[in-house]
Amino acid sequence: MSEQQQSEQPERRAGRRVVIVGAGMAGVQTAVALREQGFTGPVTLIGAEPHQPYDRPPLSKAVLLGKAEDSAFDIDFEALEIDLRLGREVTGVRPEAHELDTGSGPVPYDVLVIATGAEPVVLPGAEGVPGVHLLRTLDDAARLRPVLDEGHGVVVVGAGWIGAEFATAARSAGCEVTVIEAADRPLAGAMPAEVAAPMAAWYAQSGAELLTGARVARVEPGRVVLADGRTVPAGAVVVGIGARPATGWLAGSGIALGPDGSVTADRALRTSLPDVYAVGDCASFPSARYGERLLVHHWDNALQGPRTAAANIIGAADDDGPAPVVYDPVPYFWSEQFDRFVQYAGHHGGADTLLWRGDPAEPAWSVVWLRDGVLVAVLAVGRPRDLAQGRKLIEAGARLDPVRAADSSVPLKAAVRQ
């Protein structure tokens, strides 16, 4: 590189305007990571909600139960020279002009980061019915707090992770809770039947009623009508039947989306268009570790991905910069439900062997999945050591002895084949 080119590179890095759409965990962490990694150019963070950026997991726990007023990130955006624009919805992007469309007029960018997360799936026919709630935003939690404070009978539609967490909070508040699940078991879309089956007992143990194989025909004020004619009284209805990437605003932009609506980022978290990246719940990425494209709707993904995107944004400003940083994490998430701490690491979709570690009727147990003898996923209920060791072994591509791996008295790291 010539002396003139060397002098131009810092100016190019400093001068490029990075605009991040979405002020949740993924967007905030992208802005922070850019500064931490030395980017000195303009950074604009646009959020649709009027609130200071906040963390979402506490919404179904501390915030919902009134143990915390909010879960705002402890970040001094002004000190970091991050231009925070809240209460602004981005309605479109025009890549040829390098501009975003907002209600307040166009916003130019040199580099765009899409971090709009996911939006909850709405129960058909329930929109506008009094007493029907979603739990995705701080305002949602604020509307639900009085419901729990007053001890209303609550119906939860969906026995997934968010449904279980809300049912747990409602029971803690003394509410009668009925959970309605269309599948024949909880977590039907996330866990194999044999793993999810013992979790069904957790509902009754907490005092909640779980109705499986039950489809909602309609929601009326004060009750839920099932497809088989049964009615369930409901002081409030909370819908938790899944989420989809919030990418509708990208229609017509030329940014490639997958069948699931996710932005199809590459292994460096770049989209199909130059100077556009995507992170968090709205983006899928190819995993060499698992041999398939993954869409991960969990907090850890929104924390880790931005560091990769930031490094690649900075590196792309230098023609002779380093090779792109590859994003291929071991997915991780946790859930607090029914007095249990549930953790999961990896991806079991391609596994050929499932091994139990402990009795699922007991308070603590775990499950590991192998593919050709290699550990690919672990689910731990009250066994944090299994999770911690398992996560490291998955990262290392460790091969396990299945007999020792199925012995809960043997630490997972001691089950590695030598």
Side-chain angles (χ1 to χ4, degrees), residues 6 21 25 173 204 359 401:
Q6 287 178 332
V21 182
M25 170 64 85
D359 183 348
D401 178 331

Side-chain angles (χ1 to χ4, degrees), residues 199 202 340-343 362-367 379-384 386:
M199 296 177 174
W202 298 355
R340 292 167 173 85
F341 187 46
V342 183
Q343 295 174 282
E362 297 296 324
W365 49 274
S366 59
V367 174
L379 171 75
V381 178
R383 290 179 64 98
D386 276 5

